[in-house]
Amino acid sequence: RAKEQGQSRFKVFNKRMREEALRLLTIETDLRRAVERQEMRLHYQPVVALEDGGLHGVEALLRWTRTEGGDISPAEFVPVAEDTGLITSIGAFALEEVCLQLSRWNEAGLPQPGVVHVNISGRQFMQPGLPYAVEMLLDRTGTDPRALRFEVTESVLMRHGSQAITVMAQLRDLGIRLCLDDFGTGYSSLGYLKRLPVDSIKIDRSFVAGLEHDRDGQAIVRSIVSLGLHLGLEIVAEGVETPTQAEILASLGCRYAQGFLYAPPVSADDLAAMLGAAPFPSTGGGVFAGGSV
Ligand code: C2E
Ligand code: MG
Ligand code: MG
Ligand code: MG
């Protein structure tokens, strides 16, 4: 009986693995076509100053609508793109599109949306000649490097160590700022942050989600914020969904936030409309003043 159960479990496992492999293969095939047909777009999510609700910047996020099968999240296709190497052309597209969008806003006489965060995957980051290619792109599109901030995750550093730090330094020499994304989810020690040429960190959504109900969650965020402040880093909390989370973050000394509480990622046109509108909710004397922590 035990053996029978074991076998049927094995079959289920096998079937799931086959389905998963097939799914990834389909994404890969579609992804290749998507790159050729330029089916990708970028959306932009506001990064807001907690104190006054002012727009501090935006994060560019890839959006892909498959001709068959509808929208598919970058959380799903970026890892496939990374594995297959397609990420280098997708990443190049995203970066170029951000630069072109900045000049479109500029030409339309719109205010710049502050610093634009661009996610750079590990493979793209470690691609030989990336800093040079970026320099050429900035030149060609007339982009001010100070308008850009590249987001990388700790995994790049863990995998590529000092080589990654060299690339970071080269990018920073170009005038591009750097942010450590999903901070706290890697397994690296907090101490090494000091050695990195980053000027900001993003507290991962999973820690923000734990802020309201669990004391450990608050303790973790408190220590990330205090470490970051000591090192003179700008700290952005991601995935802020409730006023209470915003209040707690502000009380812990975090100054910037991003999340559905303020706005989801939106198209470039929708963002442009937002730029002229009223500030976002704030913790300091604004809409949410008086909210208890
Ligand atoms: P990320 O860089 O950590 O981006 C934040 C993700 O959280 C985005 O998911 C965003 O839509 C989502 N988010 C924002 N606010 C909230 C909130 O309040 N609640 C919840 N539950 N989620 C929120 P998205 O757009 O699906 O992107 C997922 C990941 O895909 C990104 O995580 C990033 O790692 C990757 N990605 C997206 N665009 C690019 C890109 O252009 N290049 C590269 N290499 N990776 C990208
Ligand atoms: Mg990011
Ligand atoms: Mg995250
Ligand atoms: Mg993130």
Side-chain angles (χ1 to χ4, degrees), residues 166-188:
T166 304
V167 176
M168 290 178 133
Q170 288 169 330
L171 290 168
R172 206 179 53 171
D173 287 346
L174 291 178
I176 292 172
R177 287 173 283 180
L178 298 165
C179 172
L180 214 49
D181 199 1
D182 303 339
F183 189 75
T185 56
Y187 295 96
S188 44

Side-chain angles (χ1 to χ4, degrees), residues 59 119 151 181 202:
E59 177 174 12
N119 292 286
E151 291 190 3
D181 199 1
K202 264 198 184 172

